[in-house]
Amino acid sequence: MRSWGARSVAFPTAALMLLILFFVANAAEIDTSRQQSAHSYIPAGADQVIPAYSTFENAGGTLGVLNADGPVDTRGHPFFKPLGTNGRACVTCHQPADAMSLSVRTISHRWSMNGSKDSLFAAVDGANCPKLPMGARASHSLLLDKGLFRIALPWPPRDSTGQVIAPDFDITLVSDPTGCNADAVHGLTAKDPHVSVYRRPRMAANLKYVEPETPLSLWHIRTGEVRPVDPETGHRLGGNLMGDSRHATLRAQLVDAAVTHMQTTMGTSHPDQDAIRSFEQQVYVAQVADRTGGSLQSGGAFLGPHAMRDGKPAMVGAYSARPMFPEIEGWVTNRVASSIEWQPIVKFPEFPAKRINEEDEAPQQRSYRDSVARGYLSFMYRQFLIRNVADLNSFIGNPVKQTCAACHNMVQTGMDVAPGYLDLGTTTYPTAIPAPELPLFLITCRKDAPPHPYLGRAIYTTDPGRALITGRCADVGKVVVQQMRGLAARAPYFAGGSAADLRAVVQFYDTRFKIGYGEQEIADLVTFMEAL
Amino acid sequence: MSATRRMASILMLVTSSSVVAQAPPPERPGRPVSFIACPQFRDTARQCWLAEYEGKTYYIGAFRIGTPPQLLHRVLVEGVAHDDEMSCGGINIDPIQLSPLPEIAPECDTVLPDNGTGPLEGSIFDLPASVLAQNGAALPAPPPLHADTVFTVAYDFDRAILNLPNQAQVEMIALAIMASSVSHVIVTGRQGRSRLSNGMIITETPTIATIRAAAVRKALIDLGVKPDIEVRHLAAPPVDAPGRDVESRNVTVEVKLTPRPGQ
């Protein structure tokens, strides 16, 4: 299915589509003049113009995608053209309709259309292991079922100059359902040993927050290391890029992606790198409408990609003094706040008595906005004991009485400014959601090395995370905290795709920290996150 | 100062590169204590930490940034106890030095219920706004050096991480080097020891001096200091070495700066 602006679509067809959209838009009484199907997939090598602003339907409502620098011509653009030998481009896994990530819904759609011939399912990482037969669905089950790509990392790790880092732990393969880690060519005992882990693609949008020009602090305050300098720009680097922060700059990331995901043999030219980086840095995405509650940009709320464009990166939230998501504040009223049954960590400020034009809200819309507001208050103010999170608890006490916003502390994104590799327990046992389809590793830390602060020296994990880059036992399970934007467009969640939906995310933390959420509060938190 | 303002301030503290300089408190009489115990977390409105030693309950702090107590880890408590001062239901220790020990201790897992008590001292949230406002600001440039100067970076026992106060200290040293014409920088890591109240002497991990010195050297270079820094490591002297003070902690890295002649 071709998407908007495709040059190859004949004029009469395009005109008909516009006509249909005109009527649909008016029927819905919202601005959907550019609204498109959720399957507006942009294939590698697409020849079309992407508008400055587009919207896409998803399970929760509508996602807004803003190209802040104006319309983008994909023809020949290095983000959209294949850079390697397997036919993939950056856009293959970073789709605008999926908040510049990739949902399982889209992956399934591509499989139903093209099967394994689609470059998305390239053997290198779109299969559970390259040695598996490519035509079989089972060979791509991790991608199809959980949206996971294979990430093959050298073992032992190497630093940025290629020097081997002596790890302070050993890896034992406990189970290997994909067969890749035990494989003689691809595995840990191969001539060129690699560890295969399986991860979700991150959003290639809102990147001024991910790679800010000026991080909040000179130091990585939790590890006591000075933040490195980007030799190209002279800026201190934030450390929030990629799930394991293995590359600190977008340029390094995209050069690596061209090799590992697109299988380029020619390298990536500097002008292409510049063009990709420039494109990625001007794309902003966020949800703009909800199926039930309507526009997220009315009644005092101003959610959406324009607010992302206008926000300031690397700001730490601080309750009412610096709200985490200021775009939602307008929906919080004293009526909503007074209905809260839990004890907030600090006293609520005085909220307005009612929302802008609240008297005009339909009952369903009022209920929706109240739910978003309650979920937001829970996220920011509801205290519980946070335990055994390396590095957070090592820094402020284990346990510490805090809120969701302790880890998800960056204003407008919910990332961690610090920077944010933490072991929240999503990939380490006993807290991880069981994932028998993934490899299971036993990490055994050497006696003379600092242990993992809460899991000790024998750790079971499906993905050692940051430790595969640093070789440190104490880093096992650490994953960079992700953005919380465009969530409705890009299920499943967590780095290992272990939460099928947002309810599963909330339930994971409810179990993990023994919070004791009620059904209404879970629903409110889901509604709140879907609105982002 | 409103609660929300205070919380804003504390979060700024958590994420800031430098810490607020505070005058050392006046010395008060008291009973020196040094012991290793399991910390206990009291889940009060203002959370606080306690530890039991030889039948007494001690208060060892409230919300704390940097190297706070950790359940699942024992903690080395060093300080001066004041038996006539109670805080959060425990004997107050002031000043206090806490060093969570790195090894896992599963038996240290006590969360006590809220009993309505609270910490004696003011909250970090209560620092004057004018003081908090300085937090995160660039450190002032130190005056030029005219003689050999030794800076000390004091660590937590048996830990090699540069905690928040240490980060500010290393940053200050880097500024001092870059503000002066320094001919020689020597970073000396030390392996320390401590005598506990029960007479036992504990010694840090043998490799800690090397690791600390390397970390400080790397931080100085990353902050802009030229890499020709001499690094030395000193093991803890034997306990029975003549003339040695076995109670001297030496849980430190020292950085000696030698200005060029004529500075």
Side-chain angles (χ1 to χ4, degrees):
Chain A
M1 181 178 178
R2 299 304 299 264
S3 58
W4 61 164
R7 280 189 239 278
S8 56
V9 176
F11 171 73
T13 308
L16 182 62
M17 288 299 293
L18 284 172
L19 198 62
I20 292 170
L21 281 172
F22 174 78
F23 284 114
V24 170
N26 281 287
E29 293 185 342
I30 57 174
D31 177 14
T32 54
S33 58
R34 296 191 181 93
Q35 190 158 329
Q36 302 294 326
S37 157
H39 290 306
S40 295
Y41 187 86
I42 303 177
D47 177 8
Q48 60 195 65
V49 174
I50 300 178
Y53 181 65
S54 319
T55 55
F56 300 89
E57 291 182 17
N58 54 47
T62 308
L63 179 82
V65 178
L66 173 68
N67 286 297
D69 291 348
V72 177
D73 189 343
T74 67
R75 184 171 49 182
H77 192 294
F79 187 87
F80 299 91
K81 72 179 182 185
L83 295 177
T85 57
N86 61 16
R88 281 187 186 159
C90 303
V91 73
T92 305
C93 301
H94 298 284
Q95 288 285 320
D98 291 359
M100 298 302 284
S101 175
L102 198 62
S103 67
V104 156
R105 185 181 175 206
T106 296
I107 294 166
S108 297
H109 183 69
R110 298 303 294 177
W111 179 262
S112 67
M113 288 182 66
N114 306 320
S116 65
K117 291 185 178 132
D118 195 300
S119 65
L120 181 60
F121 301 98
V124 64
D125 61 0
N128 298 352
C129 190
K131 69 173 186 175
L132 298 172
M134 286 302 101
R137 187 191 188 284
S139 301
H140 307 275
S141 60
L142 291 177
L143 181 54
L144 284 163
D145 297 338
K146 294 202 162 185
L148 298 174
F149 288 87
R150 188 177 73 93
I151 307 295
L153 297 167
W155 188 253
R158 295 177 176 85
D159 66 18
S160 57
T161 66
Q163 293 294 309
V164 169
I165 297 171
D168 56 30
F169 59 88
D170 296 319
I171 300 178
T172 305
L173 195 56
V174 178
S175 68
D176 188 29
T178 69
C180 227
N181 282 294
D183 186 70
V185 176
H186 303 286
L188 280 158
T189 57
K191 187 178 176 184
D192 182 17
H194 280 71
V195 182
S196 287
V197 289
Y198 298 84
R199 296 176 183 166
R200 297 277 295 122
R202 299 214 156 197
M203 293 169 66
N206 307 331
L207 290 180
K208 78 173 181 184
Y209 300 90
V210 180
E211 193 191 43
E213 288 191 0
T214 308
L216 191 67
S217 64
L218 177 60
W219 295 79
H220 183 323
I221 54 173
R222 294 196 294 246
T223 66
E225 297 163 308
V226 179
R227 294 187 197 247
V229 173
D230 181 348
E232 184 180 355
T233 63
H235 297 152
R236 293 278 171 189
L237 293 163
N240 272 325
L241 198 64
M242 309 190 75
D244 55 16
S245 196
R246 66 183 178 276
H247 295 301
T249 66
L250 270 179
R251 189 181 300 282
Q253 182 274 328
L254 68 90
V255 167
D256 178 69
V259 174
T260 57
H261 299 308
M262 292 180 248
Q263 294 179 285
T264 181
T265 54
M266 305 292 288
T268 314
S269 72
H270 217 271
D272 278 359
Q273 294 171 23
D274 288 341
I276 294 171
R277 192 168 184 272
S278 296
F279 169 73
E280 290 180 331
Q281 287 184 317
Q282 59 86 57
V283 184
Y284 295 93
V285 305
Q287 200 79 341
V288 293
D290 180 81
R291 285 189 184 281
T292 305
S295 172
L296 301 172
Q297 299 168 328
S298 61
F302 56 99
L303 289 149
H306 293 86
M308 296 303 294
R309 176 198 62 191
D310 298 338
K312 188 175 177 185
M315 301 295 289
V316 177
Y319 310 106
S320 61
R322 192 183 294 146
M324 279 296 304
F325 292 98
E327 310 102 301
I328 293 179
E329 286 278 311
W331 281 1
V332 184
T333 63
N334 271 337
R335 175 179 56 79
V336 171
S338 63
S339 72
I340 297 298
E341 294 179 349
W342 37 263
Q343 182 70 30
I345 192 164
V346 296
K347 188 181 174 188
F348 284 145
E350 191 68 19
F351 294 111
K354 60 179 186 175
R355 288 186 283 269
I356 295 171
N357 299 327
E358 184 170 325
E359 58 277 8
D360 297 332
E361 293 174 352
Q364 200 175 21
Q365 188 174 45
R366 176 171 299 185
S367 173
Y368 170 78
R369 290 178 176 178
D370 286 354
S371 179
V372 171
R374 286 192 304 268
Y376 174 54
L377 289 176
S378 175
F379 172 83
M380 200 159 66
Y381 290 96
R382 202 230 217 250
Q383 58 183 332
F384 52 90
L385 290 186
I386 300 175
R387 292 190 60 161
N388 302 344
V389 177
D391 286 326
L392 180 88
N393 287 114
S394 316
F395 190 66
I396 56 176
N398 183 40
V400 67
K401 193 183 284 190
Q402 262 293 342
T403 74
C404 297
C407 297
H408 300 278
N409 55 54
M410 189 192 291
V411 171
Q412 288 192 267
T413 69
M415 295 162 56
D416 181 6
V417 169
Y421 24 87
L422 303 170
D423 176 15
L424 279 157
T426 57
T427 65
T428 47
Y429 291 107
T431 51
I433 298 170
E437 68 281 6
L438 293 177
L440 180 62
F441 306 100
L442 169 61
I443 304 298
T444 307
C445 306
R446 295 182 182 151
K447 287 182 180 173
D448 60 348
H452 184 289
Y454 308 116
L455 298 174
R457 289 198 159 83
I459 306 162
Y460 289 92
T461 177
T462 53
D463 184 347
R466 176 87 181 137
L468 292 177
I469 309 307
T470 64
R472 293 179 192 157
C473 172
D475 288 339
V476 172
K478 287 183 189 170
V479 177
V480 173
V481 176
Q482 302 194 46
Q483 292 187 56
M484 294 175 64
R485 304 314 296 252
L487 287 166
R490 55 187 178 93
Y493 309 101
F494 292 147
S498 56
D501 50 34
L502 291 172
R503 184 180 177 83
V505 171
V506 177
Q507 287 177 323
F508 169 80
Y509 287 118
D510 193 23
T511 303
R512 170 79 173 80
F513 297 122
K514 299 180 174 63
I515 300 171
Y517 290 138
E519 271 303 313
Q520 182 62 56
E521 196 170 3
I522 291 173
D524 292 340
L525 281 161
V526 169
T527 308
F528 153 67
M529 287 194 286
E530 279 184 341
L532 299 175
Chain B
M1 188 184 200
S2 71
T4 51
R5 167 68 179 155
R6 293 196 298 267
M7 289 310 297
S9 301
I10 191 58
L11 283 175
M12 284 301 291
L13 271 174
V14 169
T15 54
S16 170
S17 65
S18 55
V19 293
V20 177
Q22 296 177 66
E27 286 197 13
R28 296 182 297 150
R31 175 170 56 89
V33 290
S34 179
F35 60 87
I36 293 172
C38 284
Q40 299 176 341
F41 180 81
R42 174 73 76 182
D43 188 11
T44 53
R46 275 190 54 202
Q47 55 203 28
C48 55
W49 289 94
L50 303 165
E52 290 187 2
Y53 177 68
E54 292 190 335
K56 292 183 177 177
T57 300
Y58 292 89
Y59 167 72
I60 60 171
F63 182 88
R64 180 187 171 103
I65 299 164
T67 48
Q70 305 277 304
L71 292 186
L72 302 185
H73 292 267
R74 293 186 297 165
V75 62
L76 169 62
V77 180
E78 299 167 289
V80 179
H82 304 277
D83 294 298
D84 56 343
E85 285 181 7
M86 301 298 285
S87 182
C88 214
I91 298 168
N92 194 28
I93 303 177
D94 181 24
I96 188 168
Q97 168 83 34
L98 295 179
S99 300
L101 301 184
E103 294 302 320
I104 295 273
E107 69 277 16
C108 297
D109 200 21
T110 301
V111 175
L112 302 167
D114 187 352
N115 62 355
T117 60
L120 178 69
E121 85 277 21
S123 167
I124 192 168
F125 303 134
D126 295 326
L127 284 171
S130 58
V131 174
L132 289 165
Q134 298 170 23
N135 185 52
L139 293 174
L145 302 174
H146 298 290
D148 285 6
T149 305
V150 176
F151 293 86
T152 300
V153 183
Y155 276 80
D156 303 317
F157 195 87
D158 222 13
R159 288 172 66 94
I161 289 176
L162 283 167
N163 65 21
L164 212 53
N166 292 350
Q167 292 167 21
Q169 176 72 345
V170 172
E171 201 174 327
M172 182 63 80
I173 296 168
L175 289 173
I177 295 170
M178 292 186 285
S180 301
S181 180
V182 173
S183 66
H184 203 186
V185 180
I186 304 173
V187 176
T188 304
R190 293 178 182 276
Q191 176 198 21
R193 62 161 54 97
S194 181
R195 183 194 292 276
L196 304 182
S197 297
N198 64 7
M200 181 187 292
I201 295 171
I202 55 172
T203 305
E204 294 186 296
T205 308
T207 55
I208 199 111
T210 308
I211 296 170
R212 284 178 181 154
V216 170
R217 178 182 183 274
K218 182 175 188 307
L220 289 172
I221 293 169
D222 289 346
L223 289 166
V225 174
K226 290 180 181 174
D228 52 344
I229 298 172
E230 184 179 340
V231 178
R232 298 176 181 174
H233 325 115
L234 292 178
V239 172
D240 57 355
R244 295 289 187 184
D245 176 6
V246 296
E247 294 183 53
S248 174
R249 291 179 83 254
N250 280 337
V251 184
T252 59
V253 164
E254 289 176 358
V255 182
K256 182 180 178 182
L257 309 182
T258 303
R260 294 187 190 284
Q263 271 283 104

